[in-house]
Amino acid sequence: MGYASTLTQAGFALQAKLFAQGGDLHITRVAVGSGIPADGADLTEMTALVRERSTATSTTPVRRGCAVDFFIEYRPDLNPDITEAFQITEYGVFGLGAEGEEQLLFYGDVSHFPETAVPAQYGGSVRRYPVHVEIGAKAGAVLDYPAGAWCTYEDMAALAGALAIRQVDLTLPTDGWTQDAEGRYGYRIELPVDGVTGETIPSATILPDSEETAIECGLCNAAQTGDGVVIFRAGTIPVREIALSLALLRDSTGLVLSTSAGNVSLPMATQTSPGVVKPGPGLLVDGEGTLSADVVSDAAAKDVLDSVFGVSK
């Protein structure tokens, strides 16, 4: 399967009701997961994500004629309990079905082009997926949660630049691949990239002109890193070169350098670079890490001034 999105049977039933009777499409929640449908599975029969991993948010639905469009958005700041990266391979839209109960109305399978959900502690990542639903002339759309998606591509580009996240353009060649395993991704290739370590988190995006070639060879864009190399896997050797853009997260930011025994190691701040600062005289830190200033009261300050300048009480 790999890249497909569709209304489910519950979604089609609701769509028929909205076309016939009007009313509203009530979206109760959206979610992303890391499961993969079975080969040959009918996506319209899906009633839940294969492996739901995280709630998500969305933009406010925009109505155009008899359809609504919006984006599902995964954001790490909405999921602070997630501390390990995972691959987003599916997403779903849940809402009130034709009988008024929550059902999976729309399912998306993106397992051929999984994207890494990077936890906030490692710099975070925002992933977006478009949804288009036909609803009928008399129907509207209602979110039963506040729309929280806000980040545009331009915003993310500016944020990446501010955090010094490295972006590298790579080309996967047709030679240099080796077969080292059986199964779905039996072929691998290592490409040298300066400054990469095993602690670096890669996030690969296949460029549009290479999508067909990537699908044909079964390329997995969940890349791996080693010392000085980035490793890619595929089901077969590609017959044409594949162009992709690679974002290198985590220790490339200069803010989160490494983890050791579950502890995050941060650099000290300087006059020209961000980092950790220590409270000095006059600054207090409570048990929850809240910073406050130890300032003298107005009455105490008046007493000092009165004593200095000889003002009698």
Side-chain angles (χ1 to χ4, degrees):
M1 200 121 351
Y3 195 96
S5 57
T6 183
L7 284 172
T8 64
Q9 290 293 340
F12 283 118
L14 178 61
Q15 183 185 65
K17 178 180 179 181
L18 295 179
F19 269 103
Q21 302 177 12
D24 291 321
L25 166 65
H26 279 267
I27 303 172
T28 57
R29 64 186 181 94
V30 292
V32 297
S34 59
I36 300 176
D39 289 341
D42 183 353
L43 298 188
T44 66
E45 299 289 343
M46 301 293 291
T47 59
L49 299 188
V50 177
R51 187 186 180 194
E52 185 171 328
R53 295 295 296 270
S54 174
T55 58
T57 185
S58 75
T59 56
T60 300
V62 175
R63 177 169 174 167
R64 295 182 177 88
C66 291
V68 294
D69 296 281
F70 60 97
F71 282 90
I72 293 176
E73 184 174 274
Y74 168 83
R75 290 211 342 241
D77 59 303
L78 299 179
N79 302 273
D81 294 336
I82 296 178
T83 58
E84 294 184 359
F86 66 92
Q87 295 294 302
I88 298 177
T89 57
E90 57 180 343
Y91 60 87
V93 177
F94 295 82
L96 298 183
E99 304 302 322
E101 298 180 352
E102 184 180 90
Q103 294 178 298
L104 177 64
L105 304 178
F106 191 93
Y107 180 80
D109 171 22
V110 290
S111 57
H112 269 176
F113 299 101
E115 295 187 292
T116 303
V118 181
Q121 70 195 79
Y122 300 135
S125 62
V126 175
R127 305 302 187 192
R128 288 188 137 199
Y129 304 96
V131 176
H132 175 86
V133 181
E134 298 287 335
I135 58 174
K138 300 179 181 179
V142 176
L143 290 181
D144 289 341
Y145 56 86
W150 52 268
C151 195
T152 64
Y153 174 83
E154 289 75 15
D155 294 332
M156 283 301 297
L159 179 61
L163 292 177
I165 295 175
R166 291 180 56 200
Q167 183 173 346
V168 180
D169 292 329
L170 292 179
T171 299
L172 301 185
T174 57
D175 55 1
W177 293 81
T178 59
Q179 185 174 14
D180 66 346
E182 300 293 335
R184 187 173 184 181
Y185 302 119
Y187 289 83
R188 63 178 275 159
I189 190 170
E190 296 185 4
L191 297 182
V193 178
D194 291 338
V196 172
T197 71
E199 298 294 316
T200 306
I201 297 177
S203 178
T205 301
I206 300 167
L207 300 186
D209 290 345
S210 296
E211 287 183 354
E212 184 176 346
T213 304
I215 293 174
E216 289 175 353
C217 71
L219 178 68
C220 176
N221 72 344
Q224 299 172 278
T225 54
D227 290 338
V229 298
V230 179
I231 303 166
F232 291 88
R233 290 186 173 275
T236 61
I237 298 174
V239 297
R240 291 176 295 276
E241 293 183 341
I242 298 175
L244 53 84
S245 178
L246 182 69
L248 300 172
L249 312 175
R250 196 173 176 174
D251 62 0
S252 62
T253 65
L255 297 178
V256 180
L257 293 183
S258 62
T259 58
S260 177
N263 298 319
V264 178
S265 174
L266 297 173
M268 298 303 296
T270 69
Q271 291 183 341
T272 59
S273 62
V276 176
V277 296
K278 297 179 180 179
L283 291 179
L284 304 176
V285 181
D286 63 19
E288 296 181 351
T290 302
L291 186 68
S292 61
D294 185 10
V295 297
V296 67
S297 67
D298 291 343
K302 184 176 184 302
D303 289 342
V304 172
L305 292 174
D306 289 348
S307 63
V308 171
F309 292 102
V311 179
S312 59
K313 296 181 178 180

